Amino acid sequence: MRIECPGNVRLQDHLLGQGIHILTACGGRGNCGKCAVKVVEGTAAINTMDRLWFTEAQLAEGMRLGCQVYAKGPLVVEIGD
Ligand code: FES
């Protein structure tokens, strides 16, 4: 599923506002890796927790921990299958 996210919002807050729930087994602390999303348009900063869960190649493809993404600008993300 592709989701558009506006800027200046936490991705997770936007998804919840749309009634979309991603797996957040660790409560959004970056410890479980269950909330993986793929950023296909726009730019999402890579943080320390992303680097624990994804390879450089995956990060380059846009993989991020959904719970950690703050959209500074508009994003399009792929969630799930
Ligand atoms: S919810 Fe656990 S890493 Fe994102």
Side-chain angles (χ1 to χ4, degrees):
M1 164 183 352
R2 276 191 179 211
I3 306 291
E4 293 183 18
C5 178
N8 298 314
V9 67
R10 284 182 66 231
L11 175 62
Q12 196 175 350
D13 290 342
H14 175 70
L15 294 175
L16 286 173
Q18 303 291 307
I20 300 166
H21 297 266
I22 55 176
L23 284 175
T24 54
C26 71
R29 289 191 284 273
N31 293 327
C32 73
K34 302 284 188 198
C35 60
V37 301
K38 185 174 184 179
V39 178
V40 293
E41 289 181 33
T43 304
I46 298 168
N47 76 10
T48 307
M49 300 312 281
D50 291 312
R51 291 194 186 282
L52 291 179
W53 286 98
F54 301 115
T55 65
E56 284 299 322
Q58 289 172 317
L59 292 169
E61 289 173 358
M63 296 303 296
R64 300 288 186 278
L65 295 173
C67 69
Q68 304 289 307
V69 172
Y70 182 85
K72 286 186 178 172
L75 300 176
V76 177
V77 299
E78 284 183 359
I79 298 169
D81 299 325

PDB file of all heavy atoms in Angstrom, residues 34-51:
ATOM      1  N   LYS A  34       9.777  -3.950  13.468  1.00  0.00           N
ATOM      2  CA  LYS A  34       8.518  -4.428  12.866  1.00  0.00           C
ATOM      3  C   LYS A  34       7.810  -3.364  12.035  1.00  0.00           C
ATOM      4  O   LYS A  34       6.894  -3.674  11.287  1.00  0.00           O
ATOM      5  CB  LYS A  34       7.554  -4.888  13.964  1.00  0.00           C
ATOM      6  CG  LYS A  34       8.095  -5.983  14.846  1.00  0.00           C
ATOM      7  CD  LYS A  34       8.072  -7.302  14.140  1.00  0.00           C
ATOM      8  CE  LYS A  34       8.435  -8.435  15.081  1.00  0.00           C
ATOM      9  NZ  LYS A  34       8.832  -9.637  14.353  1.00  0.00           N
ATOM     10  N   CYS A  35       8.211  -2.131  12.178  1.00  0.00           N
ATOM     11  CA  CYS A  35       7.464  -1.020  11.572  1.00  0.00           C
ATOM     12  C   CYS A  35       8.075  -0.567  10.247  1.00  0.00           C
ATOM     13  O   CYS A  35       7.799   0.533   9.790  1.00  0.00           O
ATOM     14  CB  CYS A  35       7.464   0.146  12.551  1.00  0.00           C
ATOM     15  SG  CYS A  35       9.139   0.706  12.924  1.00  0.00           S
ATOM     16  N   ALA A  36       8.889  -1.434   9.631  1.00  0.00           N
ATOM     17  CA  ALA A  36       9.625  -1.039   8.422  1.00  0.00           C
ATOM     18  C   ALA A  36       8.703  -0.487   7.337  1.00  0.00           C
ATOM     19  O   ALA A  36       7.633  -1.033   7.074  1.00  0.00           O
ATOM     20  CB  ALA A  36      10.402  -2.228   7.887  1.00  0.00           C
ATOM     21  N   VAL A  37       9.128   0.602   6.743  1.00  0.00           N
ATOM     22  CA  VAL A  37       8.436   1.194   5.603  1.00  0.00           C
ATOM     23  C   VAL A  37       9.494   1.510   4.552  1.00  0.00           C
ATOM     24  O   VAL A  37      10.688   1.535   4.837  1.00  0.00           O
ATOM     25  CB  VAL A  37       7.679   2.490   5.977  1.00  0.00           C
ATOM     26  CG1 VAL A  37       6.642   2.220   7.058  1.00  0.00           C
ATOM     27  CG2 VAL A  37       8.628   3.599   6.404  1.00  0.00           C
ATOM     28  N   LYS A  38       9.036   1.748   3.329  1.00  0.00           N
ATOM     29  CA  LYS A  38       9.954   2.137   2.271  1.00  0.00           C
ATOM     30  C   LYS A  38       9.551   3.515   1.768  1.00  0.00           C
ATOM     31  O   LYS A  38       8.421   3.703   1.315  1.00  0.00           O
ATOM     32  CB  LYS A  38       9.906   1.121   1.128  1.00  0.00           C
ATOM     33  CG  LYS A  38      10.920   1.391   0.037  1.00  0.00           C
ATOM     34  CD  LYS A  38      10.911   0.261  -0.964  1.00  0.00           C
ATOM     35  CE  LYS A  38      11.981   0.465  -2.014  1.00  0.00           C
ATOM     36  NZ  LYS A  38      11.970  -0.660  -2.972  1.00  0.00           N
ATOM     37  N   VAL A  39      10.455   4.442   1.869  1.00  0.00           N
ATOM     38  CA  VAL A  39      10.197   5.806   1.381  1.00  0.00           C
ATOM     39  C   VAL A  39      10.494   5.814  -0.117  1.00  0.00           C
ATOM     40  O   VAL A  39      11.630   5.587  -0.527  1.00  0.00           O
ATOM     41  CB  VAL A  39      11.072   6.834   2.121  1.00  0.00           C
ATOM     42  CG1 VAL A  39      10.840   8.231   1.570  1.00  0.00           C
ATOM     43  CG2 VAL A  39      10.782   6.791   3.619  1.00  0.00           C
ATOM     44  N   VAL A  40       9.457   6.018  -0.928  1.00  0.00           N
ATOM     45  CA  VAL A  40       9.637   5.963  -2.383  1.00  0.00           C
ATOM     46  C   VAL A  40       9.656   7.354  -3.020  1.00  0.00           C
ATOM     47  O   VAL A  40      10.106   7.509  -4.158  1.00  0.00           O
ATOM     48  CB  VAL A  40       8.575   5.064  -3.062  1.00  0.00           C
ATOM     49  CG1 VAL A  40       8.775   3.619  -2.648  1.00  0.00           C
ATOM     50  CG2 VAL A  40       7.172   5.532  -2.740  1.00  0.00           C
ATOM     51  N   GLU A  41       9.164   8.358  -2.321  1.00  0.00           N
ATOM     52  CA  GLU A  41       9.275   9.743  -2.783  1.00  0.00           C
ATOM     53  C   GLU A  41       9.530  10.626  -1.582  1.00  0.00           C
ATOM     54  O   GLU A  41       8.940  10.420  -0.520  1.00  0.00           O
ATOM     55  CB  GLU A  41       7.994  10.215  -3.484  1.00  0.00           C
ATOM     56  CG  GLU A  41       7.781   9.584  -4.836  1.00  0.00           C
ATOM     57  CD  GLU A  41       6.510  10.093  -5.509  1.00  0.00           C
ATOM     58  OE1 GLU A  41       6.136  11.262  -5.311  1.00  0.00           O
ATOM     59  OE2 GLU A  41       5.894   9.298  -6.222  1.00  0.00           O
ATOM     60  N   GLY A  42      10.394  11.618  -1.765  1.00  0.00           N
ATOM     61  CA  GLY A  42      10.752  12.499  -0.662  1.00  0.00           C
ATOM     62  C   GLY A  42      11.971  11.963   0.077  1.00  0.00           C
ATOM     63  O   GLY A  42      12.530  10.933  -0.288  1.00  0.00           O
ATOM     64  N   THR A  43      12.357  12.682   1.096  1.00  0.00           N
ATOM     65  CA  THR A  43      13.569  12.339   1.829  1.00  0.00           C
ATOM     66  C   THR A  43      13.266  12.198   3.307  1.00  0.00           C
ATOM     67  O   THR A  43      12.656  13.085   3.910  1.00  0.00           O
ATOM     68  CB  THR A  43      14.628  13.451   1.655  1.00  0.00           C
ATOM     69  OG1 THR A  43      14.863  13.644   0.266  1.00  0.00           O
ATOM     70  CG2 THR A  43      15.937  13.071   2.341  1.00  0.00           C
ATOM     71  N   ALA A  44      13.663  11.063   3.872  1.00  0.00           N
ATOM     72  CA  ALA A  44      13.529  10.841   5.311  1.00  0.00           C
ATOM     73  C   ALA A  44      14.917  10.612   5.881  1.00  0.00           C
ATOM     74  O   ALA A  44      15.664   9.757   5.385  1.00  0.00           O
ATOM     75  CB  ALA A  44      12.631   9.635   5.598  1.00  0.00           C
ATOM     76  N   ALA A  45      15.276  11.387   6.878  1.00  0.00           N
ATOM     77  CA  ALA A  45      16.601  11.273   7.478  1.00  0.00           C
ATOM     78  C   ALA A  45      16.815   9.859   8.024  1.00  0.00           C
ATOM     79  O   ALA A  45      15.871   9.182   8.445  1.00  0.00           O
ATOM     80  CB  ALA A  45      16.738  12.289   8.607  1.00  0.00           C
ATOM     81  N   ILE A  46      18.057   9.433   7.997  1.00  0.00           N
ATOM     82  CA  ILE A  46      18.444   8.127   8.539  1.00  0.00           C
ATOM     83  C   ILE A  46      18.955   8.358   9.950  1.00  0.00           C
ATOM     84  O   ILE A  46      19.836   9.190  10.166  1.00  0.00           O
ATOM     85  CB  ILE A  46      19.567   7.508   7.684  1.00  0.00           C
ATOM     86  CG1 ILE A  46      19.071   7.281   6.260  1.00  0.00           C
ATOM     87  CG2 ILE A  46      20.071   6.217   8.317  1.00  0.00           C
ATOM     88  CD1 ILE A  46      20.182   6.946   5.275  1.00  0.00           C
ATOM     89  N   ASN A  47      18.383   7.642  10.909  1.00  0.00           N
ATOM     90  CA  ASN A  47      18.889   7.826  12.270  1.00  0.00           C
ATOM     91  C   ASN A  47      19.634   6.588  12.750  1.00  0.00           C
ATOM     92  O   ASN A  47      19.787   5.591  12.026  1.00  0.00           O
ATOM     93  CB  ASN A  47      17.771   8.274  13.225  1.00  0.00           C
ATOM     94  CG  ASN A  47      16.853   7.141  13.614  1.00  0.00           C
ATOM     95  OD1 ASN A  47      17.116   5.977  13.330  1.00  0.00           O
ATOM     96  ND2 ASN A  47      15.756   7.479  14.267  1.00  0.00           N
ATOM     97  N   THR A  48      20.122   6.644  13.960  1.00  0.00           N
ATOM     98  CA  THR A  48      20.948   5.562  14.497  1.00  0.00           C
ATOM     99  C   THR A  48      20.206   4.235  14.506  1.00  0.00           C
ATOM    100  O   THR A  48      20.786   3.190  14.194  1.00  0.00           O
ATOM    101  CB  THR A  48      21.367   5.915  15.944  1.00  0.00           C
ATOM    102  OG1 THR A  48      21.959   7.209  15.931  1.00  0.00           O
ATOM    103  CG2 THR A  48      22.358   4.913  16.487  1.00  0.00           C
ATOM    104  N   MET A  49      18.931   4.251  14.851  1.00  0.00           N
ATOM    105  CA  MET A  49      18.179   3.004  14.922  1.00  0.00           C
ATOM    106  C   MET A  49      17.974   2.415  13.533  1.00  0.00           C
ATOM    107  O   MET A  49      18.024   1.201  13.358  1.00  0.00           O
ATOM    108  CB  MET A  49      16.830   3.223  15.626  1.00  0.00           C
ATOM    109  CG  MET A  49      16.946   3.746  17.048  1.00  0.00           C
ATOM    110  SD  MET A  49      18.132   2.846  18.071  1.00  0.00           S
ATOM    111  CE  MET A  49      17.176   1.395  18.487  1.00  0.00           C
ATOM    112  N   ASP A  50      17.756   3.256  12.522  1.00  0.00           N
ATOM    113  CA  ASP A  50      17.658   2.739  11.149  1.00  0.00           C
ATOM    114  C   ASP A  50      18.931   1.978  10.785  1.00  0.00           C
ATOM    115  O   ASP A  50      18.874   0.924  10.148  1.00  0.00           O
ATOM    116  CB  ASP A  50      17.480   3.889  10.151  1.00  0.00           C
ATOM    117  CG  ASP A  50      16.134   4.584  10.254  1.00  0.00           C
ATOM    118  OD1 ASP A  50      15.100   3.890  10.293  1.00  0.00           O
ATOM    119  OD2 ASP A  50      16.130   5.830  10.283  1.00  0.00           O
ATOM    120  N   ARG A  51      20.066   2.506  11.212  1.00  0.00           N
ATOM    121  CA  ARG A  51      21.343   1.879  10.854  1.00  0.00           C
ATOM    122  C   ARG A  51      21.531   0.532  11.546  1.00  0.00           C
ATOM    123  O   ARG A  51      22.272  -0.324  11.062  1.00  0.00           O
ATOM    124  CB  ARG A  51      22.511   2.809  11.193  1.00  0.00           C
ATOM    125  CG  ARG A  51      22.548   4.030  10.307  1.00  0.00           C
ATOM    126  CD  ARG A  51      23.862   4.773  10.390  1.00  0.00           C
ATOM    127  NE  ARG A  51      23.813   6.008   9.634  1.00  0.00           N
ATOM    128  CZ  ARG A  51      23.922   6.081   8.298  1.00  0.00           C
ATOM    129  NH1 ARG A  51      24.108   4.994   7.598  1.00  0.00           N
ATOM    130  NH2 ARG A  51      23.860   7.249   7.693  1.00  0.00           N
TER     131      ARG A  51
END
